[in-house]
Amino acid sequence: MTDWREHILKKFIPGMAKLTLVSDPDRLLLEEKILKGIAERGFELITYEDHVVFRYIYESRFRSRWDNGEGDDLSVVLRCASQDLRDLPYDLLQAECKLSFSLGELFPNLSYPVISSLNISYIEQLYDAQVKYTPEKLGDEATKDFILRHVFKIAPELIKDPKDLLSVLLRRHYRRKQQIPANLDERFIKVLRQNKQFADWPLEVIVPDSQAFFAFLQERWQAFLNYVTKQKKDDCYGTSSLHFEFPGPEILPFDHQDIQVYIDNLFAEGLLKPIFLENGDVFAQEWFSCGIDLSPEENNRRRIEKLLYAAEEALPSRDSNHEEWLQFAFVWAELTALVSVKPSEEYEERLKPLRAKVDSAIKDWALDRYGSLASLPPAPPILLHHIPRYLARELVNDEHAKIAFVVIDGLALDQWLVLKKELEKQEPSFVFREKAVFAWIPTLTSVSRQSAFAGEPPMCFPDSINTTDKEPILWYKFWENQGLKQNNVAYARGLSDGDWGKISDLLAKPKLRVLGLVVDKVDKIIHGMQLGSAGMLSQIKQWASQGFVLNLIKTLQEEGFYVYLTSDHGNIEAKGIGKPNEGVVADLRGERVRIYPDPVLRARTKERFPESLEWPPIGLPEGYFPLIAPPRTAFTKEGSILISHGGISVEELIVPFVKIDRKDG
């Protein structure tokens, strides 16, 4: 057997039972292809995690139908995270079919404590390595070495000099490629420390932390430019005037061929920033000119050219995992922001076919794979409703922690990049730990933002699915279920440029530990925007320069809060294709999406707009059927141009999730 999934999926025989209980302490059932395979066999998986949520889903969607003699075709897999199914309620234990799976069964010769720390996405590579190399019984350290070598392609004992180490770290950190657990990092660093060449390197910081690694490269890039440009001019070499925040060697081997291949990508994608050199244009033909701040026009031209190529190369497919889309979204955001900020007919024309490919690819992927995301574990968050559960773990790990959850309504990822750039100018000590998450489809505020504050899928708040009026109740309820009292939690929305009184009143609460804030300025800009994507970015930049977001973040940090920032959905520029003439048939008559109470009514509108998408009710309440407008279009006056949201483009669906720290701690 060469595929570990066969070991699991062969146990799920269609029609074998209405309810199957599975002990799955290692989250094997939550691997994306396993989830897909279970669904293809006719089973629906539910995780027993939150008792109240489970009961709502199980009783309303399955048990009630079975009791009424309906739903004979419904088969449910109830996944229990415990090793002992007896932790489940008594009535569930009456199920005839019970299964269990664990990493220990899959990898009997590897150390269980070590392999259990590994992200589930790496199990396939580890299983393939086990089949190929058939290791004998290995202890903790030997298991770590086996995983480093065969899963992450890292052989610490073969890293002899700086170019070897930089190559490994670039492969790891570039586009967040590798998620290596802390116990493997510790082993890696321990072996590296045996090499005297790395005695003064800040390994404990730059090995696990991407932001620290790129900050280390950034300050060494200045020294490298000084070195190579002085050599070109036959000048004396020196970097004595430079101050380094990180210890380690002054000059890194950026010019080695194994390192050079990354350099232009790092500058194009904004991971490193070009440095100004006096008369730097004389080096415009050198390979390292990608890291020299030339004229703004030349800088943009080079970055756009590189990003066009990078986006083509990195575009995920229908079979890609969700992480590839989250990584791609940052490349796409950098590219679209650059093209929009400096509109060019040439680049717009070159971007059109690529944009069509991206829109088609994300639609196909979402139809095939999006449904499995809600079942994935919330650490790290993948969907917006995972975020509160992720934040709750921060409170468990630190009983004195205080958390501020800031949702900037409607902020797209490219607009976040513009906002971040302004914040970096205003406060250089900020450190942005950037990730991305998926919004809920349809990407509407009442659907997606509510889920972010409820900590639950939209199906769990059917009574308020078309409004946000119950959002604060859902927020308080979530934290009450986590053990906090009402005076530990606060919520405020409608925040804009001048709401300091409201914020000050909240911060004055002596026992406050969790604060949820909605900043609605971007959403207001969206609904008043008539100048397209370029106008949006210009308005975001202007708003950011006025200092509200800066002051909000600094105030929260000064009050001792960990600050997390996200958005409920993004937005796109869309062209009107006409309004459906249907009176009051639709429950919600949006621009990018319309909501119907039953599929028959929806189908009638689709007849007029055959390219529109009947989105399946994934995670949505009963009687909620979205019809999504075709890519880059809207159900509004034909030919009109507007900024809107509700669909499934990358720009609408993938939003920033950022922890904002300070360099000074």
Side-chain angles (χ1 to χ4, degrees):
M1 187 182 298
T2 58
D3 187 346
W4 69 276
R5 298 179 187 88
E6 293 177 22
H7 171 78
I8 293 174
L9 292 175
K10 70 180 183 180
K11 303 289 182 68
F12 293 94
I13 303 169
M16 68 178 179
K18 288 183 178 179
L19 178 62
T20 301
L21 307 184
V22 181
S23 170
D24 180 32
D26 298 316
R27 300 177 172 180
L28 296 175
L29 295 193
L30 302 184
E31 194 269 341
E32 288 185 56
K33 291 183 180 179
I34 289 286
L35 284 169
K36 183 180 178 183
I38 290 174
E40 288 174 344
R41 284 160 174 75
F43 296 88
E44 184 158 346
L45 184 140
I46 309 174
T47 293
Y48 188 86
E49 190 171 43
D50 184 306
H51 172 76
V52 176
V53 174
F54 163 74
R55 279 296 177 187
Y56 172 79
I57 296 173
Y58 179 67
E59 299 292 342
S60 64
R61 295 181 59 191
F62 304 108
R63 180 69 176 270
S64 61
R65 296 183 66 183
W66 290 333
D67 289 347
N68 291 331
E70 304 172 355
D72 289 339
D73 58 334
L74 294 176
S75 297
V76 178
V77 173
L78 175 55
R79 175 188 167 270
C80 177
S82 170
Q83 290 183 333
D84 193 344
L85 289 175
R86 288 177 295 182
D87 291 341
L88 292 172
Y90 178 78
D91 64 312
L92 299 176
L93 292 175
Q94 307 314 303
E96 295 181 2
C97 187
K98 299 181 179 69
L99 302 172
S100 67
F101 304 106
S102 73
L103 287 170
E105 297 171 11
L106 290 175
F107 304 101
N109 289 340
L110 301 181
S111 166
Y112 179 79
V114 175
I115 59 176
S116 62
S117 68
L118 202 60
N119 187 289
I120 194 69
S121 62
Y122 295 110
I123 295 301
E124 181 172 4
Q125 292 162 270
L126 183 59
Y127 192 84
D128 290 345
Q130 176 181 252
V131 171
K132 184 174 182 179
Y133 298 105
T134 58
E136 298 179 354
K137 193 76 173 177
L138 301 180
D140 289 354
E141 298 304 288
T143 297
K144 292 174 187 177
D145 292 340
F146 185 84
I147 295 173
L148 283 170
R149 181 182 291 272
H150 298 298
V151 174
F152 297 107
K153 312 306 179 188
I154 297 173
E157 72 280 3
L158 299 181
I159 298 175
K160 303 298 185 182
D161 54 37
K163 68 172 173 52
D164 296 337
L165 179 56
L166 282 182
S167 181
V168 167
L169 293 181
L170 282 165
R171 190 170 69 245
R172 172 183 180 166
H173 292 307
Y174 176 53
R175 293 189 188 156
R176 307 162 182 84
K177 283 289 189 184
Q178 296 177 331
Q179 301 174 44
I180 302 180
N183 57 358
L184 298 186
D185 276 337
E186 290 166 5
R187 172 63 178 171
F188 180 36
I189 292 169
K190 181 180 179 181
V191 177
L192 289 176
R193 285 291 180 212
Q194 297 171 11
N195 186 332
K196 293 181 179 180
Q197 284 203 61
F198 305 127
D200 61 343
W201 283 59
L203 299 176
E204 285 73 16
V205 178
I206 66 172
V207 169
D209 188 333
S210 295
Q211 276 79 10
F213 174 65
F214 290 122
F216 173 67
L217 294 188
Q218 182 70 57
E219 65 178 21
R220 262 44 180 201
W221 182 251
Q222 176 73 76
F224 179 77
L225 285 184
N226 288 356
Y227 171 59
V228 294
T229 56
K230 287 177 184 295
Q231 279 192 328
K232 295 285 182 182
K233 296 177 180 178
D234 294 324
D235 202 346
C236 59
Y237 152 69
T239 60
S240 57
S241 63
L242 296 178
H243 169 72
F244 293 136
E245 182 180 331
F246 295 92
E250 289 186 353
I251 305 299
L252 298 179
F254 290 110
D255 54 349
H256 190 276
Q257 61 182 8
D258 292 344
I259 313 303
Q260 262 192 48
V261 295
Y262 289 96
I263 298 303
D264 54 354
N265 291 71
L266 298 179
F267 285 104
E269 295 176 29
L271 297 170
L272 295 180
K273 294 178 175 58
I275 291 173
F276 174 77
L277 283 183
E278 190 171 351
N279 299 320
D281 56 331
V282 302
F283 302 109
Q285 302 306 313
E286 300 289 347
W287 72 267
F288 54 82
S289 64
C290 59
I292 297 176
D293 190 3
L294 303 171
S295 69
E297 293 76 14
E298 180 62 15
N299 289 339
N300 285 340
R301 185 193 68 78
R302 290 186 175 201
R303 289 189 67 196
I304 290 172
E305 290 288 349
K306 188 65 184 178
L307 286 167
L308 281 167
Y309 175 78
E312 284 272 14
E313 290 294 301
L315 178 58
S317 68
R318 190 174 194 139
D319 294 327
S320 298
N321 64 40
H322 71 273
E323 191 63 38
E324 291 178 67
W325 275 107
L326 296 179
Q327 292 165 5
F328 172 81
F330 279 97
V331 178
W332 187 241
E334 289 279 359
L335 173 59
T336 54
L338 279 173
V339 173
S340 296
V341 168
K342 296 288 185 182
S344 158
E345 187 173 333
E346 175 196 351
Y347 287 125
E348 279 292 346
E349 286 302 312
R350 291 176 62 183
L351 195 58
K352 276 183 182 178
L354 178 56
R355 186 181 283 134
K357 287 173 64 176
V358 172
D359 289 343
S360 176
I362 190 68
K363 182 193 75 171
D364 290 345
W365 178 86
L367 286 168
D368 198 40
R369 306 288 288 274
Y370 181 84
S372 67
L373 299 184
S375 299
L376 298 178
I382 298 162
L383 278 162
L384 275 171
H385 80 279
H386 288 154
I387 294 178
R389 298 186 179 279
Y390 175 77
L391 299 181
R393 297 187 181 197
E394 289 271 8
L395 298 186
V396 171
N397 295 332
D398 181 355
E399 61 182 12
H400 301 295
K402 297 197 296 182
I403 289 173
F405 180 44
V406 181
V407 178
I408 301 184
D409 193 338
L411 185 73
L413 194 54
D414 61 335
Q415 294 154 8
W416 156 248
L417 297 178
V418 171
L419 174 58
K420 180 182 74 167
K421 188 174 182 179
E422 289 299 312
L423 291 173
E424 287 174 331
K425 288 180 186 176
Q426 297 164 349
E427 185 51 72
S429 70
F430 281 163
V431 176
F432 301 99
R433 304 191 180 280
E434 295 174 294
K435 298 185 188 216
V437 295
F438 291 92
W440 269 95
I441 301 173
T443 49
L444 298 169
T445 300
S446 61
V447 175
S448 205
R449 197 178 82 193
Q450 269 198 111
S451 74
F453 282 102
E456 305 293 354
M459 69 170 65
C460 296
F461 44 88
D463 296 339
S464 62
I465 194 66
N466 290 322
T467 176
T468 58
D469 290 347
K470 292 188 178 180
E471 200 167 79
I473 297 173
L474 295 169
W475 178 245
Y476 282 104
K477 180 182 176 182
F478 173 83
W479 289 105
E480 182 182 340
N481 291 338
Q482 306 305 311
L484 295 187
K485 297 180 180 178
Q486 191 162 11
N487 62 357
N488 300 138
V489 184
Y491 167 94
R493 65 181 176 185
L495 300 178
S496 195
D497 300 337
D499 293 309
W500 289 109
K502 188 186 295 186
I503 295 168
S504 298
D505 289 344
L506 294 175
L507 295 177
K509 295 184 176 184
K511 296 185 179 180
L512 184 62
R513 292 195 66 197
V514 177
L515 177 60
L517 300 175
V518 178
V519 178
D520 64 354
K521 182 69 173 184
V522 174
D523 191 58
K524 290 179 179 178
I525 295 173
I526 290 172
H527 294 294
M529 179 51 57
Q530 298 179 340
L531 299 176
S533 298
M536 276 297 303
L537 293 175
S538 176
Q539 288 288 303
I540 298 291
K541 182 177 180 180
Q542 181 180 348
W543 173 58
S545 69
Q546 294 168 0
F548 174 76
V549 179
L550 169 73
N551 292 327
L552 176 61
I553 295 168
K554 290 178 70 174
T555 298
L556 293 171
Q557 290 178 335
E558 288 162 3
E559 291 292 328
F561 285 86
Y562 295 134
V563 179
Y564 291 86
L565 181 149
T566 192
S567 168
D568 52 347
H569 56 75
N571 54 82
I572 61 165
E573 180 178 313
K575 186 175 183 179
I577 55 174
K579 285 186 177 182
N581 185 14
E582 55 192 8
V584 294
V585 168
D587 288 342
L588 186 147
R589 294 179 289 280
E591 294 156 337
R592 285 277 293 142
V593 61
R594 297 173 81 86
I595 308 300
Y596 297 85
D598 69 63
V600 175
L601 294 173
R602 179 176 63 175
R604 291 177 187 170
T605 303
K606 181 174 170 61
E607 289 178 3
R608 182 181 168 190
F609 301 96
E611 298 301 314
S612 59
L613 174 64
E614 294 176 309
W615 180 251
I618 297 169
L620 299 172
E622 292 186 10
Y624 193 90
F625 297 94
L627 182 69
I628 297 174
R632 312 282 160 176
T633 69
F635 296 123
T636 188
K637 182 181 177 181
E638 192 166 352
S640 62
I641 302 296
L642 73 162
I643 300 294
S644 189
H645 58 89
I648 55 173
S649 66
V650 171
E651 292 92 327
E652 295 166 287
L653 183 58
I654 300 178
V655 296
F657 176 54
V658 186
K659 184 180 183 185
I660 306 175
D661 291 330
R662 297 284 284 273
K663 289 180 184 176
D664 57 9

